[in-house]
Amino acid sequence: MPSPEPTRVVLCALNSPGYQSLALGYLRAYAQADSRLAGRVAFQTLDLTVDLDPWWVAYRVLELEPDVLGLSVVCWNARAVFEVARIVKAARPQTTIVLGGPEVGPVAEKVLAAQPAADVVVRGEGEATFTELLYATTRGRDVTRVEGVTARGRGGTVVSAPDRALIADLDSIPSPYLTGVMTPTDNGAYIETYRGCPHRCGYCFEGKGYGRIRSFSEGRIAAEIDAVAQAPGMTAFSFIDPVFNLTGERLQMLARLLAPHAARGIRLHTVEVDIERIDDAAAALLARAGVASVETGPQSVGEAALAECRRGFDAERFRAGVAALKRRGIIVECDLIVGLPGDAVRDFFDGLAFVMSLDPGIVQTSTLHVLPGTDLYDRADELGLVFDPEPPHEIISTPTIGYADLRRAEVRATWLQKRYRARLSPGEER
Amino acid sequence: MLEFNPIIVGGGGRSRCRACHGSAEPVTYRAPGDIATRIAEVVSASTAVPGPNILLTGADPFGHPELPALVEAAVSAGVERIAIDTDGAALRAGDNAAGSLHAGVRHYIVRVTAADEALSVRVTGGPSGPAALAGIAAVRAAAQRLQTPIAIEARVEACRHTIAALPSTVAALAEAGADAVRITVGDVPRSAETSALLAAACDTGMVNAVWVDVVGDTALLPATHALHMTEEDADALP
């Protein structure tokens, strides 16, 4: 008797140009390692870019005739992803469309109500839930009973199964790089060494989404670093850890693992750091690790906004951190957000003046996005935040800044950033 | 947030509204050695962070026969940002746009009286406005070709002879490739119409993602547009 055709699963992400989706890599590596699915599921990954026409993305998906389509959704690609889902569902109604990611997980029921093309939302950490979802699908079982899933039940009613516990041992998730699921690309590859965040910033999903901090083992981290750093053509990669200098011991460990690669010219770009904890010793460790550039706050210098967002800010420690990194030749990207609750326009430009006075190398401003699952999203009414309910959920007005002044602040900030960026760099070729 | 030290390369020759300012004075340039010395003095005395930054100003620096040497002197002295205050027309000529970028210029301040050709001829005696727009477009294209980050700011003096065309001037500057426009309010009627035109000029910039700030008699700007007011004209041009 011939074996049944395997379930065709297509995983698709619309990334920033030059990047791959580590999330899809994890999903596929975890599911492929599950012996219950062996021979029953066939995977294809489409790592595409967000600038592609959704109709062309749908064409690529439909060519593969998927039984299950998994789409990774974040705030900045959600509109395009939803359009892809709509087109695919219309062209191939039998495809089960599964959404996952921070844009949909925290508001799964709302998403299914608003997106009739979607069948399932995977909430929270996706690896185990997606694998169990596939197992239930291949066995013809009711997917609404899979923990961590929100799906349409009988009669189309949206049903949410209980939450799934976080994976206790992150090493149980096979590495996408070490299993060959993903091939590291120069400047586009990144490594995750832990999940969770020590901070609880009101605008950020990182801390609330993953709860306590869980780390991969040192052996796993070392193996991934070696695999990525030694990939053909690799000159630079990055880490997606929310705080690269999470602890002094950890920074020492990472510097030790990365130093041999740094010594042969491999560089790390835009790793996120808690800059107020960087002194000369920490800067030396970052340099030893090959860090070429870091990204940091302060996001705001306004006292009211910092309080509302549960962030600390010590101007002198911040200044000292930037100075220590500059002495090591490390470029600092200072980020500011316009539209935080409590900030007036003046606070935002005070922040811009502060970071420019440090001459960090890169100054980046952005507009507040009130993201599902964040504290600001939950408290928006209380704080008087008016934001676009459609992704990317950009702030429309706050009690202290109206719509027009928010747009003015954006345009002026863009101009001031251009003025800062237009400069001769030491050693620049002319 | 960014301090530019003015370096006077000469005087005269600027195209402005003749009815308000009379005819342009004859252009003169300072000796290159004097200018280079001044650059070195400014750099050694500068404590500006970020910096040091200089602005070559006075007469149009593109008319100075030794401009390449002056820019080279600034680069050698360690200047981080070199700005040129120009009428813009010279940026169209020969290799000036790409050449100045190669040399190290990153900031262009382009003086514009009016974008419209007929108005420009009427108030300045020549087509200085369209020439400035063409110059902005040329340096923008060169910067894109060379993938060099630059900042282009247009400086527009609004007077009673040009105020009606202010919004269309901002639109033309945006189309040409300016990043920002600074409007200096000169001798204008103190009227609701003037306020509306100033606001419209700011709004025209906004819808084109070009920042517009207003200096001078900012009281004429409606309170709704207060963010466009710049009280202290720290970067006032000679």
Side-chain angles (χ1 to χ4, degrees):
Chain A
M1 184 174 156
S3 58
E5 283 285 307
T7 299
R8 289 185 296 271
V9 177
V10 172
L11 297 170
C12 179
L14 303 181
N15 307 298
S16 295
Y19 288 91
Q20 299 167 285
S21 171
L22 187 58
L24 292 192
Y26 279 134
L27 288 183
R28 182 167 170 176
Y30 195 91
Q32 282 190 173
D34 192 313
S35 59
R36 297 172 302 164
L37 298 180
R40 293 176 176 273
V41 177
F43 288 95
Q44 294 268 10
T45 301
L46 289 176
D47 251 322
L48 305 175
T49 53
V50 71
D51 52 347
L52 287 175
D53 181 345
W55 286 76
W56 175 242
V57 174
Y59 181 91
R60 296 281 304 274
V61 168
L62 288 163
E63 268 192 326
L64 300 171
E65 300 180 331
D67 299 307
V68 177
L69 170 62
L71 290 163
S72 170
V73 199
V74 290
C75 72
W76 45 266
N77 74 7
R79 290 191 189 206
V81 168
F82 293 155
E83 192 169 351
V84 170
R86 200 167 60 242
I87 299 163
V88 169
K89 195 67 169 181
R92 189 178 162 82
Q94 68 270 38
T95 297
T96 299
I97 295 181
V98 182
L99 306 179
E103 171 62 28
V104 294
V107 285
E109 294 184 4
K110 273 189 187 176
V111 168
L112 287 182
Q115 305 296 330
D119 299 294
V120 180
V121 171
V122 169
R123 308 191 309 271
E125 197 167 61
E127 290 90 353
T129 301
F130 188 67
T131 294
E132 293 303 322
L133 174 71
L134 292 180
Y135 181 67
T137 301
T138 57
R139 297 292 168 134
R141 293 179 181 170
D142 181 5
V143 299
T144 64
R145 302 181 69 172
V146 175
E147 285 184 350
V149 153
T150 296
R152 300 184 199 284
R154 295 182 199 285
T157 310
V158 173
V159 179
S160 287
D163 289 342
R164 176 176 297 277
L166 296 171
I167 295 171
D169 176 12
L170 288 187
D171 281 2
S172 68
I173 305 171
S175 162
Y177 298 120
L178 300 175
T179 55
V181 164
M182 289 175 72
T183 302
T185 57
D186 187 31
N187 271 295
Y190 40 91
I191 291 174
E192 179 182 47
T193 74
Y194 69 93
R195 290 181 179 177
C197 183
H199 304 299
R200 291 289 180 273
C201 305
Y203 50 80
C204 182
F205 182 69
E206 201 71 50
K208 285 189 78 176
Y210 278 148
R212 64 187 169 81
I213 289 172
R214 294 162 295 148
S215 178
F216 289 96
S217 68
E218 182 176 335
R220 161 68 176 267
I221 294 167
E224 279 207 327
I225 287 174
D226 288 345
V228 171
Q230 292 170 358
M234 184 63 63
T235 64
F237 62 98
S238 191
F239 285 75
I240 58 166
D241 298 340
V243 183
F244 190 75
N245 57 330
L246 185 64
T247 65
E249 296 74 22
R250 193 175 184 84
L251 183 55
Q252 285 185 2
M253 179 263 285
L254 290 169
R256 175 166 44 79
L257 297 176
L258 288 158
H261 304 294
R264 58 185 184 83
I266 301 292
R267 292 290 170 261
L268 304 179
H269 63 82
T270 51
V271 297
E272 293 199 38
V273 296
D274 184 347
I275 201 143
E276 293 181 23
R277 291 196 294 112
I278 288 179
D279 54 15
D280 283 329
L285 287 171
L286 289 167
R288 186 176 168 225
V291 172
S293 61
V294 303
E295 186 173 357
T296 190
Q299 312 305 351
S300 173
V301 300
E303 286 184 15
L306 290 166
E308 292 291 7
C309 295
R310 302 194 182 103
R311 278 185 67 87
F313 171 65
D314 182 321
E316 286 316 305
R317 291 181 62 174
F318 195 102
R319 192 185 302 275
V322 172
L325 290 169
K326 285 172 66 178
R327 283 194 290 273
R328 292 284 175 176
I330 296 172
I331 295 169
V332 182
E333 176 181 325
C334 288
D335 296 342
L336 290 160
I337 300 173
V338 61
L340 290 172
D343 258 354
V345 173
R346 177 68 178 267
D347 296 309
F348 171 66
F349 285 110
D350 283 350
L352 202 51
F354 171 74
V355 297
M356 283 197 184
S357 76
L358 308 179
D359 196 10
I362 300 172
V363 173
Q364 185 70 45
T365 66
S366 62
T367 304
L368 176 65
H369 296 263
V370 183
L371 302 175
T374 63
D375 186 54
L376 293 190
Y377 186 91
D378 294 342
R379 297 171 59 215
D381 286 346
E382 169 201 334
L383 295 168
L385 301 179
V386 179
F387 64 96
D388 188 347
E390 296 297 320
H393 310 294
E394 191 152 313
I395 190 74
I396 289 173
S397 68
T398 78
T400 44
I401 314 181
Y403 174 81
D405 278 351
L406 274 171
R407 309 288 82 84
R408 290 182 178 116
E410 289 170 343
V411 174
R412 181 167 185 244
T414 300
W415 160 236
L416 295 173
Q417 286 173 82
K418 283 181 181 173
R419 288 189 87 206
Y420 179 67
R421 196 165 58 240
R423 65 179 183 267
L424 292 167
S425 305
E428 181 181 340
E429 286 185 20
R430 292 186 294 279
Chain B
M1 294 180 196
L2 275 179
E3 181 184 323
F4 282 82
N5 284 290
I7 304 291
I8 307 297
V9 301
R14 292 294 191 175
S15 172
R16 301 174 77 183
C17 175
R18 291 182 301 176
C20 293
H21 300 287
S23 298
E25 294 178 4
V27 64
T28 58
Y29 285 106
R30 294 174 65 200
D34 293 347
I35 299 169
T37 301
R38 180 62 188 147
I39 290 171
E41 288 171 356
V42 162
V43 169
S44 65
S46 174
T47 55
V49 179
N53 313 308
I54 64 161
L55 168 64
L56 300 176
T57 185
D60 192 329
F62 279 106
H64 197 294
E66 299 295 334
L67 179 61
L70 299 179
V71 174
E72 178 55 36
V75 173
S76 300
V79 173
E80 197 167 81
R81 292 174 185 78
I82 302 169
I84 282 191
D85 164 21
T86 174
D87 293 338
L91 287 167
R92 299 174 306 170
D95 193 37
N96 280 351
S100 60
L101 287 168
H102 277 301
V105 178
R106 294 291 179 270
H107 291 248
Y108 296 85
I109 293 178
V110 182
R111 301 194 193 201
V112 181
T113 304
D116 176 73
E117 183 168 359
L119 178 61
S120 186
V121 169
R122 193 160 67 244
V123 297
T124 70
S128 60
L133 296 177
I136 289 171
V139 77
R140 174 60 66 202
Q144 285 174 347
R145 198 167 59 248
L146 298 170
Q147 296 186 309
T148 303
I150 62 169
I152 305 174
E153 181 182 359
R155 297 282 180 107
V156 180
E157 183 177 349
C159 67
R160 62 181 61 246
H161 309 101
T162 60
I163 183 79
L166 203 52
S168 61
T169 294
V170 171
L173 288 165
E175 187 177 5
D179 297 305
V181 178
R182 171 165 294 187
I183 297 168
T184 302
V185 181
D187 177 23
V188 294
R190 297 186 61 81
S191 66
E193 187 183 5
T194 294
S195 293
L197 287 164
L198 286 169
C202 295
D203 293 342
T204 301
M206 283 295 299
V207 297
N208 288 286
V210 167
W211 179 247
V212 177
D213 61 14
V214 178
V215 299
D217 192 354
T218 55
L220 285 167
L221 202 57
T224 50
H225 289 62
L227 276 184
H228 294 278
M229 299 175 188
T230 301
E231 295 292 337
E232 296 174 14
D233 192 8
D235 302 329
L237 301 178

